[in-house]
Amino acid sequence: MNGTGANDAFGNLIRRRIEEFERDFMLTPRLFCDENGTEGKAHPGEYGAYRERIVAQFIEPFLPGRLSVGTGFIVTPSRQISTQCDVVVYDREHSPHIEEMGQRFFPIESVVAVIEVKSKLNGPQLSKALRKLSQVKTYRERLQHVSYEYNGKPDPPDPQPHCLRRQFDPRNYWYDQIATFLICERVPETISSSPENLVKFFEDTYEGIPDRHWHNAILSIGSKKCFMYQNEQGRPFFLPRCGDEQLNIAAYGPIPESGTIKGYDREHIAAFLRYFALMVSQISVLYVELSSYLGVHPPKQCVCAARTRRPQ
């Protein structure tokens, strides 16, 4: 098989996964109808969990081998605990497996991303989900005396003498902060119908919340939109701000076919997948210091006896 054929095969495999994901996600409500035929109302807990598994199974093959997905609660050394997170992306190599009564607890140091999974959302529901995700982004800002296990940052020109290649700074470096995403069936048309409505909605939702705590991307499958950001050169980005540059809010979706452009009707999912995989692969993973969760500190005084020197 020549190079072109191999590339076609790989692209076709990705397209098939995208199509299967879209189909399964959008058909879920019909599987959970109540006795009146109302979609998504019977067994709401199982309905939500089913969609969360669909999302997890879709994204996991595109993650680096060191990362995995789960569901549960995020905990911090300062005794913060999140509400239950639908999908947690974490570093399996550096995360202790702490589980109680079927519930998994993830130390904040090993978590790189959180995904909220929803169905059809109205404006208040969408705002509530985004503010919940913004709270998760604050958790790493209270960490102290951390060491990197994995660091996606470039090495500084002048190496620092301590254990960090660069100072841990989740307020200014997105590498050190958890990424947050929302996947839903549909957002309100009134919000996504115009750029002005979109900007006003997000600015109202995040009133009093700094840019660094905004979401990274929203995928609305039924609306065929992926909401991200755009820089001055018109390139899509997954951060609301890059340095001093405040980026614009943008919605990406399928491009209609023309004589010169071949359209893809699932471009919104492909765009989400591309930038999701790119971002989570670079988020820092930190050493989990278990004693900090116990409130245990090194003793202030200790008695030390010298050993008798022995011949080698």
Side-chain angles (χ1 to χ4, degrees):
M1 181 180 291
N2 60 31
T4 302
N7 288 339
D8 287 346
F10 188 64
N12 288 334
L13 288 173
I14 296 175
R15 289 188 185 92
R16 188 180 71 182
R17 287 186 177 273
I18 289 175
E19 291 164 8
E20 290 174 349
F21 166 66
E22 180 188 49
R23 180 199 65 205
D24 293 345
F25 194 95
M26 297 301 289
L27 284 177
T28 302
R30 301 181 189 178
L31 302 177
F32 291 86
C33 293
D34 62 16
E35 62 276 10
N36 299 317
T38 304
E39 295 182 354
K41 295 300 182 182
H43 311 290
E46 289 82 355
Y47 167 69
Y50 185 76
R51 271 196 162 163
E52 291 161 16
R53 287 196 296 273
I54 290 173
V55 171
Q57 290 170 3
F58 172 58
I59 65 170
E60 189 160 31
F62 300 99
L63 296 173
R66 61 185 176 82
L67 299 181
S68 187
V69 295
T71 183
F73 301 87
I74 298 174
V75 293
T76 77
S78 55
R79 299 186 179 181
Q80 292 171 295
I81 182 168
S82 71
T83 56
Q84 184 156 5
C85 299
D86 296 338
V87 178
V88 177
V89 183
Y90 66 99
D91 191 301
R92 74 175 87 205
E93 296 178 0
H94 301 108
S95 181
H97 192 107
I98 307 298
E99 190 170 327
E100 182 71 20
M101 302 294 289
Q103 295 292 344
R104 181 81 185 268
F105 295 85
F106 300 91
I108 188 67
E109 295 92 337
S110 62
V111 175
V112 300
V114 172
I115 304 175
E116 192 79 356
V117 182
K118 298 294 183 183
S119 54
K120 296 178 182 178
L121 296 172
N122 59 32
Q125 290 170 336
L126 179 56
S127 290
K128 181 179 179 181
L130 293 177
R131 285 195 293 266
K132 173 184 173 181
L133 289 174
S134 72
Q135 182 63 30
V136 172
K137 285 201 178 239
T138 68
Y139 290 165
R140 279 195 171 189
E141 295 180 2
R142 296 190 182 185
L143 293 177
Q144 298 178 346
H145 311 299
V146 300
S147 298
Y148 288 126
E149 293 285 8
Y150 170 82
N151 183 353
K153 303 176 186 177
D155 288 327
D158 299 317
Q160 298 178 4
H162 48 80
C163 58
L164 298 185
R165 286 182 287 175
R166 187 186 292 274
Q167 183 178 2
F168 176 68
D169 187 5
R171 291 176 175 268
N172 295 299
Y173 290 103
W174 63 264
Y175 302 91
D176 289 337
Q177 195 179 74
I178 290 176
T180 56
F181 305 89
L182 187 144
I183 297 178
C184 64
E185 182 179 338
R186 194 177 299 273
V187 298
E189 185 66 26
T190 54
I191 294 172
S192 60
S193 59
S194 74
E196 293 76 17
N197 289 351
L198 196 61
V199 169
K200 184 179 187 308
F201 175 79
F202 287 136
E203 288 183 344
D204 289 346
T205 294
Y206 290 116
E207 184 177 5
I209 296 175
D211 285 3
R212 66 181 184 274
H213 296 156
W214 285 34
H215 64 275
N216 294 99
I218 300 172
L219 174 61
S220 178
I221 299 174
S223 306
K224 290 189 175 293
K225 298 281 179 60
C226 178
F227 302 97
M228 290 189 294
Y229 308 96
Q230 190 178 83
N231 63 14
E232 293 180 352
Q233 289 73 43
R235 297 184 61 184
F237 212 56
F238 37 69
L239 298 174
R241 182 181 293 275
C242 184
D244 295 330
E245 181 185 1
Q246 180 174 291
L247 305 185
N248 296 320
I249 298 169
Y252 296 89
I255 301 172
E257 290 199 26
S258 66
T260 57
I261 299 176
K262 183 179 179 181
Y264 180 47
D265 62 358
R266 296 175 179 86
E267 181 61 39
H268 54 303
I269 302 177
F272 177 88
L273 183 61
R274 175 188 178 188
Y275 288 96
F276 167 82
L278 179 64
M279 183 162 191
V280 299
S281 65
Q282 300 178 72
I283 299 296
S284 302
V285 176
L286 309 172
Y287 173 72
V288 180
E289 178 53 74
L290 296 180
S291 63
S292 64
Y293 286 85
L294 298 171
V296 176
H297 303 284
K300 295 181 179 179
Q301 296 180 354
C302 67
V303 177
C304 179
R307 292 182 58 189
T308 303
R309 291 192 176 276
R310 303 175 63 184
Q312 297 296 322

